[in-house]
Amino acid sequence: MALNPLTVLKQAFGFDSFRPLQGEVVNHVIDGNDALVLMPTGGGKSMCYMVPSICRDGVGIIVSPLISLMQDQLDFLEFHGVEAASLNSSMSLSDQNEVKERLLAGELDLLYVTPERFSNAQFQKLLGEIDIALFGIDESHCVSQWGHDFRPDYRNLGLLKQKFPSVPVIAVTATADPETVDDILLSLDMADAKVFKTSFDRPNISYTIKPKSKKSKQEIIDFLTARKGESGIVYCIGRNTVEKTAQWLKDEGFTTLAYHAGMSDADRYDNQQAFMDGQVDILVATVAFGMGIDKSDIRFIVHPDLPSSLEAWYQETGRAGRDGLNADTLTFYNAGDISKRRRMIHKGNGSTSNKRTSYAKLDAMLGVCETVSCRRKAVLSYFGETYAATSCANCDICKSPVQTRDGTAEAKAVVNLLNEVGDRYDAYDIVSYACTSTSKIKTASSAIRDAFNAIDAKGHEWSSYIRQMLSSGLLKVNLANYGYISVTEAGQAVLNGAAFELNAEKVQIETTVKKVGSKPSARSAAPRKPREDGDYVSSGTSRRKSSKGSPLLEALRRERNRLAREMGVKKYYVIHDSALKEMSEQRPRNGSELIAIKGVGQAKIDRFGTAFLNVIERYAA
Ligand code: ADP
Ligand code: ZN
């Protein structure tokens, strides 16, 4: 007997309604069809396979790359009384046997496995003996060599559709660049799957990206001071930087802990827990922290150094503001970072084509650093999305435009070159053609050569121009075609009179010697005044005030925290901050008023309703 998905959503998980696209995906999969679901971090991907696993007969087999990620979901499911388990190498044999028995007895709604376990012959045999509701492929970009963390074992999932043609497969990911998406469909052998994609825009997250300077340390301190008492992550490149940064912030009076792969499992776990429970405000971490982390009230993310790729940066910044409230991100970069990242790729042990992919993804990140128009627009365009508005009003460039200069000549030169020689060259080839006589490009005509000669720019400047042309959509990297660059329609338009602006500030960033007498940038000409509370966020939003919270909100939070402690669960399992905030404003007096609050379902009312209503009543009295 198939269960109704909305009823399952409400009764099992306590959510009132599906998020955009969740309902469509769920019905599509319940009907037995394949789906690829692209949603940003925090979009609610897991519900897309959890609900159909419960609704359909049999067990949902979920392939997930990390044991810690599985554990978080299992905690969540267990808390909601859903029958779920995992099979992985960290479990004792007797525990594994117990899970197998429950599986064979048809008691489980969901089973989590790693791709390694999935490929295991014994496990494959086990699969033949049970009723399977669906296959869920979490973090499915791992299947693609263009995805940013390719896992060879994921490749074996390509046999799924052959072996189990009648079982629906649902792959989910927060990566959406078109090459990766095509490759996922190809690798999973599900060309006919319906692709569901929500917007990747996270309008409540603000973006600020700055060239590193002597002032940057102070800027970080100011940024963190303005957010004292709130939760945030500082992402650093390696374990040494993590340790040093954590110590520095501690010395500056912040409560902070470190997280990196060099620590023991126990220490890492403790520090993660302390952060999740709100005992420390700031976690200083490497990329190792975050996958599958569901802390909804992260209010800020800082990258003191350039991240490795646009995907990584967007995923890391995307961990903020999952509760829908405002969150701020601050990123720094400089020429040294660029060389360091390039060296890391160069020295890495990937294949040539993997390295090419990594360089292109780093360039995409740099493109967003150097862009002269809305950063949000640039990121979304990279993910194949058109952002209709010209300004998002929530990135540093929209708030305070950068100084630009006419770059039409540079753009025309590159477009004409590629039109003549074809899309058989990468950024490096073009740059070396532009400023040296030794390049793979040998066939261009003398008119093209003259156009380049007329432009006075060094190699690093040309690199930057190419990245800016990429990020503004004039050029495009074809990852699936050796990372070669081609001209887009917008690029051709430059030949017909469309203007192209280059960032006037960039030249200073990548040269070691500051240009003397260069015009001050728009930003340094009109420095923003710090607000009285020391917050440099220029728009006069009321976020700072409201996040401190009214006395009622504080009382509700204390009650929520107490309940969480008492039950030994994470705070947001009890209730999200955003729901508490609405409660403090609406002040419901009974269950039926309480259910009107977003994020409060019947399950939550049954468990916690009275406790919160009591707080509100006491407060009103
Ligand atoms: P993702 O895997 O896409 O990063 P999750 O599946 O972890 O996101 O969901 C993010 C958060 O949103 C979780 O706290 C989850 O419980 C919550 N959530 C998911 N779907 C809904 C819904 N329909 N209504 C309310 N909250 C939801
Ligand atoms: Zn913007």
Side-chain angles (χ1 to χ4, degrees):
M1 181 191 61
L3 296 166
N4 175 292
L6 194 58
T7 313
V8 168
L9 184 78
K10 283 185 177 162
Q11 290 186 346
F13 299 107
F15 298 139
D16 296 330
S17 57
F18 282 113
R19 293 229 182 110
L21 280 192
Q22 271 180 339
E24 286 90 322
V25 175
V26 163
N27 284 317
H28 182 80
V29 175
I30 290 179
D31 290 343
N33 306 303
D34 299 334
L36 172 58
V37 180
L38 314 171
M39 288 181 182
T41 309
K45 287 182 285 297
S46 45
M47 254 339 113
C48 294
Y49 53 74
M50 285 177 179
V51 173
S53 295
I54 298 172
C55 291
R56 280 177 65 91
D57 287 339
V59 56
I61 306 288
I62 314 301
V63 181
S64 172
L66 291 177
I67 293 175
S68 62
L69 216 161
M70 292 179 193
Q71 199 50 50
D72 279 346
Q73 297 211 5
L74 286 174
D75 289 348
F76 174 83
L77 289 166
E78 187 185 347
F79 180 73
H80 288 97
V82 178
E83 297 294 333
S86 73
L87 274 179
N88 64 60
S89 53
S90 75
M91 295 162 64
S92 72
L93 264 176
S94 70
D95 282 351
Q96 295 193 34
N97 283 332
E98 191 192 316
V99 169
K100 281 178 201 163
E101 273 165 32
R102 288 173 70 197
L103 192 61
L104 289 166
E107 286 173 14
L108 292 177
D109 281 321
L110 290 108
L111 177 75
Y112 286 79
V113 294
T114 54
E116 290 77 16
R117 169 68 55 138
F118 184 85
S119 316
N120 169 295
Q122 259 186 336
F123 183 73
Q124 286 290 323
K125 183 166 164 286
L126 190 61
L127 284 181
E129 295 164 22
I130 57 173
D131 210 6
I132 302 171
L134 58 84
F135 290 106
I137 318 293
D138 207 355
E139 310 287 350
S140 61
H141 57 273
C142 295
V143 85
S144 164
Q145 55 182 319
W146 316 124
H148 54 103
D149 23 47
F150 174 57
R151 289 268 296 259
D153 273 294
Y154 260 73
R155 282 288 185 195
N156 298 326
L157 299 173
L159 295 174
L160 263 182
K161 287 280 28 157
Q162 259 179 48
K163 290 183 94 169
F164 304 93
S166 61
V167 179
V169 175
I170 163 171
V172 306
T173 177
T175 300
D177 66 278
E179 276 94 356
T180 308
V181 170
D182 287 348
D183 202 36
I184 294 174
L185 292 171
L186 196 73
S187 309
L188 292 177
D189 193 15
M190 46 182 228
D192 293 335
K194 184 160 177 188
V195 179
F196 294 86
K197 179 167 186 257
T198 58
S199 170
F200 271 56
D201 188 14
R202 301 286 309 278
N204 59 319
I205 300 181
S206 80
Y207 304 109
T208 301
I209 303 182
K210 294 182 156 196
K212 237 185 273 183
S213 73
K214 283 201 198 85
K215 292 180 299 185
S216 302
K217 278 195 147 184
Q218 191 54 45
E219 284 171 334
I220 294 178
I221 297 293
D222 292 342
F223 179 90
L224 297 176
T225 306
R227 290 160 184 79
K228 238 180 188 160
E230 298 180 357
S231 267
I233 308 172
V234 177
Y235 275 110
C236 297
I237 296 188
R239 56 186 75 163
N240 286 341
T241 327
V242 166
E243 295 285 357
K244 272 207 311 235
T245 308
Q247 189 57 49
W248 167 54
L249 293 179
K250 209 170 283 167
D251 294 344
E252 293 283 344
F254 298 98
T255 67
T256 170
L257 284 171
Y259 186 103
H260 58 72
M263 295 161 55
S264 73
D265 283 353
D267 286 349
R268 233 180 15 235
Y269 181 80
D270 286 349
N271 289 2
Q272 169 176 328
Q273 262 346 83
F275 175 65
M276 300 295 281
D277 298 343
Q279 293 160 36
V280 297
D281 293 338
I282 303 172
L283 195 70
V284 183
T286 57
V287 292
F289 180 77
M291 217 199 227
I293 292 298
D294 185 9
K295 180 168 166 59
S296 64
D297 61 350
I298 294 176
R299 295 267 71 82
F300 59 86
I301 306 286
V302 179
H303 286 94
D305 307 295
L306 181 76
S308 63
S309 69
L310 192 53
E311 282 89 345
W313 175 77
Y314 203 59
Q315 210 158 61
E316 284 158 16
T317 53
R319 299 205 166 104
R322 290 171 75 154
D323 53 12
L325 301 177
N326 286 344
D328 301 312
T329 71
L330 178 62
T331 304
F332 291 93
Y333 73 108
N334 68 4
D337 288 354
I338 301 172
S339 322
K340 187 169 177 184
R341 286 292 186 190
R342 291 241 157 86
R343 268 200 311 279
M344 284 166 80
I345 297 171
H346 180 71
K347 281 201 277 183
N349 43 19
S351 66
T352 313
S353 87
N354 281 348
K355 284 185 181 173
R356 214 189 285 266
T357 306
S358 302
Y359 285 125
K361 285 176 189 275
L362 175 62
D363 274 352
M365 177 73 239
L366 283 170
V368 171
C369 292
E370 295 167 330
T371 183
V372 293
S373 52
C374 176
R375 300 203 195 273
R376 192 175 307 272
K377 199 179 174 91
V379 178
L380 293 176
S381 128
Y382 179 77
F383 287 132
E385 207 175 302
T386 320
Y387 187 71
T390 39
S391 153
C392 76
N394 204 18
C395 76
D396 54 338
I397 295 183
C398 287
K399 286 179 195 161
S400 157
V402 289
Q403 180 129 331
T404 61
R405 66 169 180 84
D406 181 32
T408 320
E410 287 84 349
K412 271 189 182 164
V414 173
V415 170
N416 278 325
L417 171 70
L418 291 178
N419 281 347
E420 203 173 298
V421 299
D423 44 3
R424 292 181 293 130
Y425 300 99
D426 62 18
Y428 178 81
D429 301 329
I430 300 172
V431 171
S432 49
Y433 174 83
C435 53
T436 67
S437 50
T438 51
S439 169
K440 260 169 73 186
I441 307 179
K442 304 209 186 301
T443 53
S445 64
S446 59
I448 302 273
R449 184 72 267 167
D450 292 345
F452 276 93
N453 286 348
I455 297 165
D456 176 27
K458 298 204 172 59
H460 64 264
E461 292 165 312
W462 273 111
S463 303
S464 167
Y465 301 161
I466 304 281
R467 290 193 296 264
Q468 292 181 58
M469 291 175 206
L470 285 165
S471 77
S472 48
L474 266 49
L475 306 177
K476 179 177 174 310
V477 176
N478 305 301
L479 290 180
N481 186 23
Y482 305 108
Y484 292 159
I485 289 182
S486 60
V487 180
T488 64
E489 230 170 273
Q492 302 294 358
V494 173
L495 300 182
N496 300 321
F500 176 65
E501 297 281 305
L502 281 167
N503 194 333
E505 284 183 71
K506 282 304 96 120
V507 177
Q508 297 173 19
I509 294 157
E510 291 198 30
T511 44
T512 40
V513 188
K514 253 212 164 112
K515 256 197 183 164
V516 183
S518 62
K519 273 195 202 163
S521 71
R523 234 177 290 169
S524 57
R528 293 184 209 150
K529 280 209 190 103
R531 299 214 318 257
E532 275 160 357
D533 56 4
D535 187 351
Y536 278 80
V537 176
S538 61
S539 68
T541 57
S542 58
R543 189 182 74 74
R544 184 95 310 111
K545 239 182 251 151
S546 63
S547 75
K548 230 173 240 146
S550 64
L552 173 56
L553 177 56
E554 286 310 309
L556 288 167
R557 278 195 183 132
R558 277 196 300 277
E559 181 65 9
R560 186 260 322 260
N561 299 353
R562 187 187 66 76
L563 288 166
R565 262 198 314 278
E566 203 174 278
M567 307 174 69
V569 296
K570 292 161 193 163
K571 286 191 286 194
Y572 49 88
Y573 281 176
V574 175
I575 198 156
H576 277 232
D577 246 21
S578 52
L580 286 185
K581 188 156 175 270
E582 202 180 322
M583 244 187 242
S584 73
E585 286 159 8
Q586 304 296 333
R587 302 193 185 177
R589 284 161 304 177
N590 50 45
S592 56
E593 285 181 13
L594 197 53
I595 205 159
I597 306 274
K598 217 171 129 219
V600 184
Q602 193 56 48
K604 291 214 194 280
I605 293 189
D606 293 346
R607 279 202 184 94
F608 315 117
T610 324
F612 289 121
L613 287 172
N614 282 345
V615 173
I616 297 169
E617 195 182 301
R618 265 205 310 276
Y619 184 83

